Amino acid sequence: MTVIERIKEISKKRGWNLQKTAIEAGIGINTIYKWKSQTPKIDAISKVADVLGVSVDYLLGNTDEMHSNKKDDKTVDLEQDTTILALDGIELSDDYKQFIIDQVRSLRKLRGDDE
C-alpha cells in the first residue's frame, strides 16, 4: 500500500477527503496529491500523521501498527467537542452521537463509576 493509499484509507475513516486532511494538517491543499510523484517532506508527512493519529512509520509503510508514536493527552468530551465522528467513512448523525453518549452513561452507572 502506498503512502497516499494509507492516507486515503485513514482519512475516509474520519469522513475526510485528501483536501480536508491537508487543511487539517496545515499544509497546502494539493500537497498530498503531489506525493504520487514526489517524495513527501518529513515535516509535512509528520503533520498529516499527527492529524490522522498514526505514526509516520505507518504512513510510510514501515509498520502495520497504525497508532501514533506520540502520547495523546487530550481528552475529548463527546458533548462539547465538534470533532466529526464517523463509522466506515460516514459521519454519524447527532442522534447516533447522543445514543453513544447515553449508552456510555448507562454503562458507567452499571459499573458504579462516578460521573
Side-chain angles (χ1 to χ4, degrees):
M1 189 178 289
T2 68
V3 171
I4 293 180
E5 289 171 336
R6 285 182 182 241
I7 294 170
K8 277 183 184 179
E9 177 184 61
I10 301 163
S11 296
K12 184 177 178 181
K13 289 179 181 179
R14 291 189 175 278
W16 298 349
N17 60 25
L18 292 183
Q19 288 182 338
K20 172 73 172 170
T21 301
I23 290 167
E24 291 296 318
I27 61 175
I29 197 164
N30 292 314
T31 299
I32 297 171
Y33 292 108
K34 292 178 184 175
W35 295 346
K36 289 181 181 180
S37 60
Q38 298 175 0
T39 302
K41 293 183 180 178
I42 190 65
D43 64 319
I45 200 159
S46 179
K47 289 177 182 180
V48 171
D50 286 347
V51 299
L52 294 176
V54 298
S55 69
V56 171
D57 279 338
Y58 175 78
L59 291 182
L60 295 175
N62 296 331
T63 181
D64 287 331
E65 291 291 322
M66 288 182 89
H67 304 291
S68 174
N69 292 334
K70 293 184 172 187
K71 181 181 178 202
D72 186 2
D73 58 357
K74 295 179 184 177
T75 301
V76 176
D77 186 326
L78 290 176
E79 291 185 302
Q80 302 298 320
D81 196 280
T82 58
T83 301
I84 296 172
L85 296 179
L87 178 64
D88 298 325
I90 300 169
E91 183 178 351
L92 297 179
S93 69
D94 289 340
D95 289 339
Y96 277 120
K97 291 175 194 174
Q98 188 58 53
F99 175 78
I100 292 168
I101 292 167
D102 293 342
Q103 293 301 308
V104 171
R105 283 193 175 126
S106 294
L107 288 171
R108 290 177 72 189
K109 285 180 184 175
L110 285 173
R111 291 183 51 180
D113 295 344
D114 292 329
E115 283 199 58

